[in-house]
Amino acid sequence: MTAEKKKKQKEFLHKLHAKHYGKKKSKTQKAKAQVAASKETATGEPRTKESSRNELMLKAKERGIKNFRVINKQELVEILKEGTTQERINEIVAGAVTRWKAGWGKGKKQKAKA
């Protein structure tokens, strides 16, 4: 009877483990995944890794853009593009500063002034 209980318990643990952790990939599955990944790069589509917000802020700082800390990631990307004019950069920065300042102050007094 104890051997039967151990067998049932072992089967239960295997099912439970398979449920939560799934099956491990075999060596052939891993190799197929690597081949598929290399085909994506071989097709000519460059794999561009998106820069983090921190990296974008450092680039903006190097270029001398003021208030780069209050600009969101999409705005930073737009500012750092090659063809962006200084006027457009100033508009984006002004909008970000306005948005940032709107978050300061006491709730009702701030709303009444606006």
Side-chain angles (χ1 to χ4, degrees):
M1 193 86 155
T2 57
E4 189 176 313
K5 283 186 179 180
K6 286 182 182 181
K7 185 177 179 181
K8 286 183 180 180
Q9 188 177 19
K10 193 173 184 179
E11 288 175 7
F12 174 76
L13 288 175
H14 283 294
K15 287 180 183 177
L16 187 64
H17 185 272
K19 176 182 174 184
H20 290 285
Y21 298 104
K23 294 182 179 180
K24 291 184 178 180
K25 289 186 177 180
S26 67
K27 290 181 181 179
T28 57
Q29 288 174 333
K30 288 180 184 177
K32 287 179 183 178
Q34 288 177 346
V35 169
S38 65
K39 283 183 181 178
E40 289 175 6
T41 57
T43 58
E45 296 177 16
R47 295 172 73 183
T48 57
K49 182 183 175 194
E50 194 171 316
S51 299
S52 68
R53 183 170 181 269
N54 185 42
E55 292 170 355
L56 294 171
M57 286 195 310
L58 291 173
K59 288 178 186 175
K61 184 179 181 181
E62 289 172 3
R63 287 186 53 186
I65 297 170
K66 304 274 184 181
N67 299 311
F68 60 90
R69 288 182 187 90
V70 299
I71 301 171
N72 65 31
K73 187 174 180 178
Q74 291 88 8
E75 292 169 340
L76 282 168
V77 169
E78 186 175 344
I79 285 173
L80 295 173
K81 284 183 184 175
E82 284 297 317
T84 308
T85 63
Q86 189 61 39
E87 292 176 359
R88 180 66 182 138
I89 291 172
N90 293 340
E91 289 175 11
I92 293 171
V93 172
V97 170
T98 305
R99 185 178 61 238
W100 174 68
K101 285 182 178 178
W104 290 89
K106 304 265 179 164
K108 292 182 180 179
K109 289 182 183 177
Q110 191 73 6
K111 289 178 185 175
K113 289 181 182 179

